[in-house]
Amino acid sequence: MAVIVKTNKQKWAQVVGKASELAVYALAEQMLQDSERFVPYSGGSIQSAGGLRESGKIVEGEDTGTLYLVWDSVYALYQWFGVRKDGTHPVKNYTTPGTGKLWVEEAKKHFQDNWNSIVQKNFNKGLE
């Protein structure tokens, strides 16, 4: 005698999609928070030469499911790469201890395991 189990692929896709979205948003928020301590800081407002740290935000991409961490201040690109766009004028000294270029990559070195746990926890939560 045969056993037949019927499943609804559309419903599963919806549930997994919801769980994935929850995990991605939670990860982006944690990445932004953990990266902050590695972002160069010189005070000031977002519009001024300083304010880079405060300008960090999460931005949704035009395509569904893509999130970007964005630092939108005057010198963000220069600070991120540590040189001007043309490769000249390298940053010689980040005045705030523990900060520097490629700050998300630096945060990843310290928090990767925690980020993996956050993704798993929130994905599981989304499946409930």
Side-chain angles (χ1 to χ4, degrees):
M1 176 167 284
V3 174
I4 298 173
V5 177
K6 183 178 177 182
T7 187
N8 183 335
K9 286 172 46 176
Q10 188 175 20
K11 181 67 175 171
W12 274 108
Q14 182 181 5
V15 169
V16 169
K18 177 185 162 209
S20 295
E21 190 172 315
L22 184 65
V24 167
Y25 275 96
L27 176 60
E29 288 173 358
Q30 191 65 48
M31 288 174 71
L32 185 64
Q33 182 182 340
D34 290 343
S35 297
E36 183 178 310
R37 72 185 75 188
F38 301 104
V39 177
Y41 181 75
S42 63
S45 68
I46 293 171
Q47 291 76 27
S48 72
L52 177 60
R53 191 174 282 182
E54 294 82 9
S55 75
K57 61 188 170 198
I58 299 168
V59 176
E60 273 193 60
E62 291 180 19
D63 55 333
T64 307
T66 302
L67 296 178
Y68 297 95
L69 300 182
V70 176
W71 283 266
D72 188 17
S73 81
V74 178
Y75 293 108
L77 192 64
Y78 178 51
Q79 293 294 326
W80 175 258
F81 288 110
V83 294
R84 283 191 182 168
K85 191 175 181 180
D86 63 4
T88 64
H89 297 85
V91 176
K92 294 183 177 129
N93 181 30
Y94 288 95
T95 57
T96 307
T99 66
K101 63 183 181 176
L102 302 171
W103 47 85
V104 176
E105 297 302 319
E106 188 62 33
K108 182 179 178 182
K109 291 178 194 174
H110 293 84
F111 300 107
Q112 178 72 53
D113 291 340
N114 186 46
W115 292 355
N116 291 340
S117 297
I118 286 168
V119 169
Q120 188 64 56
K121 175 184 165 192
N122 284 279
F123 185 80
N124 291 345
K125 184 177 176 183
L127 292 176
E128 293 173 355

